[in-house]
Amino acid sequence: MNKHFRPGLLLAAVLLVAGTAWAATEPTPLSAKKPITHDVYAGWRSVQGTALTADGRFAAYALVGQESDGEVVVRQLSDGREWRSTRGSSGASAPPAFGEAPARANLPLLAFSADGRYLAFTIHPSRAEQDKAKKEKKRGDDAPRPSLGIMDVATGKVEVIERVKRFAWPEEGGAYLAVQLEAPVAKKDGAAAAAAAKSDFDFSYGADDQAAPGAAAAGAARKKDAGTELLLIDVAAAKRTSYKDVADFAWPRSGSLLAYTVSVKEAAPAAGARAASAASGASAPAEAAKAAEALREGVYVVNPAEPVAKALITGAGSYKQLQFDRAGTQLAFISNRDALAELAAAKKAAKKDDKTPEVPAAYQVFFWRAKDAAAQVLVNASTTGMPAGWGPSEHASLSFSKDGQRLFLGTAELPKAEPKDAPEPMKVDLWHYKDPELQSVQKVRAERDKNRNYRAVVHLGAATPKFVQLGGVELPNVMVNDNGRWALGISELPYRMLQSWDALYFDAYAIDLQTGDRRQFATKLRNQPRLSPGGEYALSFSPAQKTWFAYRMADGKQLNLTGKIKSRFENIERDVVEPADAYGFAGWSENDATVVLYDQFDLWEVTLASQAARNITNGFGRKHQLQLRYVPLETEDLESRRLPTDGLMLSAAHEVNRSTGFYKLPAAGGEPAKLIHSDKLMSGLIKAKKADAVLFTQQSFVEFPDLWSAKLDLASPVKISNANPQQSQYIWGTQELIEFTAADGKKLRALVAKPENFDPKKKYPMMVYIYEKMTDNLNRYVPPAPAQNINVSRYVSNGYIVLRPDIVYTIGYPGRSAANSVLPAVKHMVKAGYVDEKRVGIQGHSWGAYQISYLITRSNAFAAAEAGASMANMVSGYGGIRWGAGVSRAFQYEQQQSRIGGAPWNATDKYIENSPIFKIDKVQTPFLTIHNDDDDAVPWYQAIEFFTALRRLGKEAYWFNYNGEKHGLRERDNMKHFTVHMGEFFDHYLKGAPRPEWMDKPVPYLERGKRDVMPLFKPAAR
């Protein structure tokens, strides 16, 4: 057996009728339930990676604990039998090894083989292994790595492959699995250097054609990552073939071939050997070995049924962007092999003191058809039609059209050589008033701009392929789909400066795919247009005119699609300065004949030829206050897919009570038929590829979003997961929708959560959480977890009422709007008789925090307040930078969330009125904040301004700054730390808990962070 395999057996018993077993569980008496404490978080699970076999017989999903080991579950839907296997811990706090992000990104949670007989799934290191590695400060290769499990769904038998970097089944290729392994753990003794100089390629593994001759210079390649072992597994036949030094691989849909690239580690003698060679001139053997290794680099294909590798191209170089066409008969990739060989020859011929700068090796696109013996150059810098001084870009992915007739690629200016004796650039930025983008934006986008490339196409159908450049420096963005006539060009270049204080606008062009000729058809669009599947039209919404327009690609004619319809297509709840965007659209019919658009509730079909429109849901949504939206059941190639002709699956959400469901719209339109609808939040509907089996979730404030299975008619759904049975042991709560009257007389709504053991005769402390509109969360489950915000479920479980009111805004007065909405909601609750008005706290983050900072300068309604990452001074905030994107914050005030509608020099009074800093002397509420010094959205100097002013005034205030954290906490240990301190703060002021030491005794800088709260989160022993 291969050393990488560890056979395992089924780890859980078969459950015959799991749903019935869950239903039969005796409920826990309320008197026996416990309040939620911090130690329960680790074991609370989520359901992730849901999948169905193509025939709909099996479903699979992963149960992922926050900080506990999870399981993968495979269920036979016909009889409820299940197989379960452990999959380690991939929870929020799993410590990543250095440099692990790309590898982890390649590991899907789970995936069925195309024939549905096997499931491949990621097995993460166990929580115990991760904790041990963290304690021992193991990093890199020494840290525990993910493994792969392969389950036979008929028997539940699991085989394990250790140290897996990536795996993939072909989409339609039976039971062949490609698995790329991590590099072996490096040896720690002196033998490692000697081993590195030797090839570890083992030809006995079946890749004997990798030694094919090639004409390239070894050692000329720039440093690149070495490949690792690739396993090609015929799972059904239990056969495995190994290929060494593989850097990348790709399947076609059919699985008829597997392509891979080889990249070898640059061979170099040990230091002592190098010195000896230099003295004796005996470097030839080392160089020969180096050359032999480099000759194995290249691109290979394998027929999985006869897994002997065939070399398509070999030689020293980088090979990237492997891409098959849909039929699996054409392969394209890029390489710099030939340029490296030329550079190596030139370098060998150059004089020793030659100071000619070395030009980076240029890339070419190579192309191979299944009938060809080898890959050939398809596009390079000298190809007809290529802009002068340009060539294929190594940074652009390749893609074929669905019919295989066109290959899309990216091109860019060829890299230039840096003079060998050029002086080191000064470390200085020049901010220029004519800069289209601020220097801070350019800095953030520097790597992207350096790798910028422009779309081109090669037409493959003719005897001689034809290259056509589509985009360029002056037209940087080109959108394509499967139509063979038109591409859509987009340029924001004339408007880049405007985005600092207004918005980003777009010019649009029709580009002829055959010639590259372009014609501008629209100027300064606020909404970026989308190309129809057939390429006949571009679709765009005009927020200023509140109208949908289509532009005919052939002649640029503008068609008004909704101007005559007596309905509103802009989002009427979007109460910011800038005009509201559209509700969206569902899609197009065959031949781009019609397009289906959304108003607030219903679907409208517009015929492009006549602009005739009809409400295809017959006003059913508006009549019943249901927002109806199309749910695609076939999710592949959505941008190019037409709407189905046999009717549409629709989701429905009630505008007020937030009940949801799924409905079926007849093919001819009309009143949708209800399939399922309840006072829950239903979502995540997926369908088996070749069967009528579906899965979906439903949740409420008290019900976790477990998985349910059904047929396509959604009759008699069956619950197939039970992620958190332990919830029954804890006091939970209920949540309801209330209505209250705002200060200006408007009727608003709010969410009120109460403890499960609520007694209306008691007086409760109340937490208020605010942002903007909150009532959409009526039926949303809140799992217990640490965070920078209050956890509603935990606070309710521990005896709090939690109020979450909606806020509506008047432009120019966001602070006053918050006061007009929030304070009446609090008064409404106090008047209800079960809230103690002296024990009301408020909490929010970012925009919610700003409103809290404003409120406590105008009201003493709150006994305590926490406002994280808050704005304090809109004048200085206007001139700030959102460091994550590098953009000016001015647009937020003039156009978006901050809702001022002007600049400090033309709306001065509004900036002052809405800035809490100017009324900070009125604050009497104990204040807590979290604002981190690497905040990438709200500059942390806002916290400095507010906190230092409070300190200057002798006001009670506490500020937590987690060094290096962003706008929101990302490190789970930091979340835990703040959760504890925020809880102590509110428990003291609202529940009379003892005052914690940190609130009375400052923590010196040299003593910071030493308080250990982690034992509070350790799960109790069972």
Side-chain angles (χ1 to χ4, degrees), residues 443-516:
K443 180 179 179 180
V444 170
R445 299 179 182 176
E447 192 65 23
R448 188 197 69 176
D449 289 344
K450 186 172 71 174
N451 299 336
R452 168 76 73 175
N453 55 82
Y454 305 93
R455 184 158 276 170
V457 63
V458 182
H459 296 276
L460 302 169
T464 302
K466 178 184 177 182
F467 172 87
V468 180
Q469 185 68 44
L470 303 176
V473 174
E474 73 289 352
L475 189 57
N477 304 304
V478 175
M479 317 302 175
V480 297
N481 57 21
D482 277 321
N483 92 86
R485 185 176 180 189
W486 298 107
L488 174 62
I490 303 293
S491 176
E492 78 285 359
L493 299 181
Y495 314 109
R496 285 186 296 171
M497 190 179 291
L498 275 180
Q499 70 178 322
S500 287
W501 57 83
D502 184 359
L504 192 59
Y505 296 88
F506 307 94
D507 292 341
Y509 297 77
I511 306 174
D512 190 316
L513 282 173
Q514 298 297 321
T515 66

Side-chain angles (χ1 to χ4, degrees), residues 13-19 75-76 79-82:
V14 176
L15 303 179
L16 294 179
V17 191
R75 182 181 177 100
Q76 185 163 315
D79 59 13
R81 287 186 302 160
E82 288 185 346

Side-chain angles (χ1 to χ4, degrees), residues 75-262:
R75 182 181 177 100
Q76 185 163 315
L77 297 178
S78 61
D79 59 13
R81 287 186 302 160
E82 288 185 346
W83 302 114
R84 292 178 175 239
S85 182
T86 58
R87 58 171 306 276
S89 176
S90 59
S93 67
F98 292 152
E100 274 300 293
R104 296 285 174 93
N106 288 328
L107 284 170
L109 275 174
L110 51 86
F112 280 112
S113 59
D115 59 12
R117 295 171 58 193
Y118 303 97
L119 180 80
F121 58 95
T122 302
I123 302 173
H124 288 275
S126 69
R127 173 52 48 183
E129 289 175 314
Q130 293 182 39
D131 288 344
K132 183 174 184 290
K134 185 177 180 181
K135 185 176 181 180
E136 295 174 356
K137 298 182 179 180
K138 289 186 176 180
R139 292 291 187 270
D141 286 340
D142 292 331
R145 298 301 183 92
S147 301
L148 171 68
I150 306 171
M151 178 187 289
D152 182 332
V153 301
T155 65
K157 181 181 178 181
V158 175
E159 196 156 26
V160 177
I161 306 175
E162 297 180 329
R163 296 181 62 82
V164 170
K165 187 176 184 180
R166 181 185 170 204
F167 67 88
W169 305 98
E171 191 173 337
E172 298 174 353
Y176 291 109
L177 180 64
V179 182
Q180 188 175 13
L181 303 178
E182 294 275 9
V185 178
K187 298 178 180 179
K188 299 298 182 182
D189 55 25
K198 296 169 62 178
S199 169
D200 63 351
F201 190 80
D202 185 350
F203 291 99
S204 67
Y205 279 93
D208 49 353
D209 203 18
Q210 286 190 345
R222 68 184 184 188
K223 289 183 179 180
K224 55 185 183 291
D225 292 333
T228 58
E229 185 175 1
L230 174 70
L231 300 176
L232 174 57
I233 306 173
D234 181 344
V235 181
K239 293 181 179 179
R240 303 169 183 88
T241 308
S242 174
Y243 307 92
K244 298 291 187 179
D245 302 315
V246 173
D248 190 18
F249 68 86
W251 288 108
R253 288 169 61 91
S254 65
S256 57
L257 294 171
L258 175 68
Y260 66 89
T261 66
V262 168

Side-chain angles (χ1 to χ4, degrees), residues 787-790 843-846 849 853 865-871 927-933 935 938-940 942-944 947 957-963 965-971 974-979 981-982:
Q788 66 205 9
N789 293 318
I790 63 169
Q843 193 269 323
H845 197 80
S846 194
S853 297
E866 192 281 331
S870 170
M871 286 300 303
F927 181 77
L928 172 67
T929 187
I930 173 177
H931 206 148
N932 306 314
D933 52 20
D935 193 309
V938 178
W940 80 307
Q942 291 291 321
I944 297 173
F947 176 81
Y958 311 92
W959 173 17
F960 284 77
N961 166 25
Y962 291 89
N963 305 149
E965 285 273 30
K966 303 292 185 182
H967 187 58
L969 292 176
R970 301 180 182 184
E971 294 293 330
N974 292 340
M975 296 178 191
K976 294 176 181 178
H977 189 265
F978 189 68
T979 292
H981 288 83
M982 181 168 62

Side-chain angles (χ1 to χ4, degrees), residues 606-652:
V606 181
T607 300
L608 275 294
S610 63
Q611 290 87 70
R614 68 183 182 112
N615 187 321
I616 60 173
T617 48
N618 277 4
F620 180 86
R622 186 168 298 277
K623 179 180 178 181
H624 297 281
Q625 292 187 283
L626 293 175
Q627 187 177 77
L628 303 174
R629 297 295 182 258
Y630 168 55
V631 179
L633 298 176
E634 303 289 341
T635 57
E636 184 184 1
D637 299 328
L638 278 179
E639 288 292 320
S640 299
R641 185 176 292 278
R642 278 74 170 178
L643 291 171
T645 57
D646 59 349
L648 305 182
M649 178 68 76
L650 302 178
S651 65

